[in-house]
Amino acid sequence: MDLEELWRDVTGTQPPPSDAAVVALAAVALLLVAVPALWRVTRHAVTIAHEGAHGLAALLTGRSLTGIRLHSDTSGLTVSRGRPGGPGMVLTAFAGYVGPALLGLGAAYLLHHDHALAVLWLGVALLALLLLQIRNFFGLWSVCIAGVALFAVTWWGSGTLQSVAAYLGTWFLLLAAPRPVLELQALRHRGWARTSDADQLARLTRVPGLVWVGAFLAVTTGCLLMGAWWLLGVGY
């Protein structure tokens, strides 16, 4: 396949799955989020998107990105340099918890217009860019595994497999995004998350951390509802 043919495939359209298949994939994604044993594994994908969103926001607001670390307990750390306060720091801190939902919403929009292959290639590209900023072994391993798996499906998978992967990944991001927000507030309630994004935002803005948690939840829930609207084909 030459570059011109590849570009035609990426920018072209692919037939969507049946309505029943889209609903079934949503159910599978919900299991990946709701079943504790599965969530302990799949949550790593949310952490990758979370820390990647911090990094992207830092770059877009003019901060210098030092590096990203991903840990085996599904936590992560993104370090950037710049002003210790101000809008850039606020946007960087805010981006993490809403990042997976916004990524899922963008993918849902593309799928609504039958661009399943574009969703997969976008995922490959973002993982490749993220890999350049990873600064620890576990992070390298987890991003490489995700990137290789996604690339394999994108390059060698059948059209049906590619469509299934795009819809399943999109449903997962949309359904998974609110759960870490709820987990965050549970930890804050116990006094175990004093350095969380919400508490950092509270120190930066003097707006209570609970308000920021509410904002995270509003954005992630709104993205889920809008994304589901598009994925289920409403509005055609």
Side-chain angles (χ1 to χ4, degrees):
M1 180 184 294
D2 58 28
L3 290 177
E4 184 177 351
E5 184 180 355
L6 176 61
W7 181 249
R8 284 199 303 269
D9 287 343
V10 172
T11 57
T13 60
Q14 294 79 39
S18 66
D19 292 344
V22 173
V23 173
L25 290 169
V28 173
L30 184 59
L31 287 176
L32 296 176
V33 175
V35 177
L38 297 176
W39 178 242
R40 283 192 291 271
V41 177
T42 60
R43 197 187 193 286
H44 288 288
V46 180
T47 302
I48 289 172
H50 178 117
E51 299 303 331
H54 278 314
L56 179 60
L59 293 174
L60 291 177
T61 56
R63 299 180 63 81
S64 175
L65 185 59
T66 302
I68 296 173
R69 293 176 177 268
L70 305 171
H71 303 131
S72 59
D73 63 356
T74 72
S75 66
L77 177 66
T78 299
V79 179
S80 62
R81 294 177 181 174
R83 289 183 56 193
M89 189 63 211
V90 170
L91 288 173
T92 299
F94 184 76
Y97 278 97
V98 302
L102 293 174
L103 182 59
L105 184 64
Y109 178 80
L110 290 174
L111 291 175
H112 184 65
H113 294 282
D114 298 334
H115 294 295
L117 198 55
V119 169
L120 298 180
W121 276 114
L122 178 62
V124 171
L126 291 175
L127 287 169
L129 292 174
L130 179 62
L131 189 63
L132 300 176
Q133 297 297 331
I134 297 296
R135 296 294 182 266
N136 69 323
F137 178 77
F138 183 83
L140 286 171
W141 180 83
S142 57
V143 174
C144 281
I145 290 295
V148 168
L150 190 56
F151 178 81
V153 171
T154 305
W155 191 259
W156 290 293
S158 66
T160 299
L161 179 59
Q162 291 169 349
S163 183
V164 166
Y167 273 83
L168 180 60
T170 302
W171 273 122
F172 173 75
L173 288 171
L174 292 170
L175 290 165
R179 179 164 179 173
V181 179
L182 299 175
E183 293 174 344
L184 167 64
Q185 184 52 31
L187 292 174
R188 293 184 72 254
H189 182 69
R190 299 185 182 99
W192 295 349
R194 299 186 186 278
T195 60
S196 71
D197 293 349
D199 293 281
Q200 184 180 8
L201 285 164
R203 289 189 289 271
L204 289 168
T205 64
R206 299 185 181 180
V207 175
L210 184 61
V211 174
W212 288 108
V213 173
F216 295 156
L217 191 60
V219 173
T220 55
T221 303
C223 287
L224 171 57
L225 294 175
M226 188 72 249
W229 179 275
W230 284 334
L231 290 174
L232 294 172
V234 179
Y236 274 113

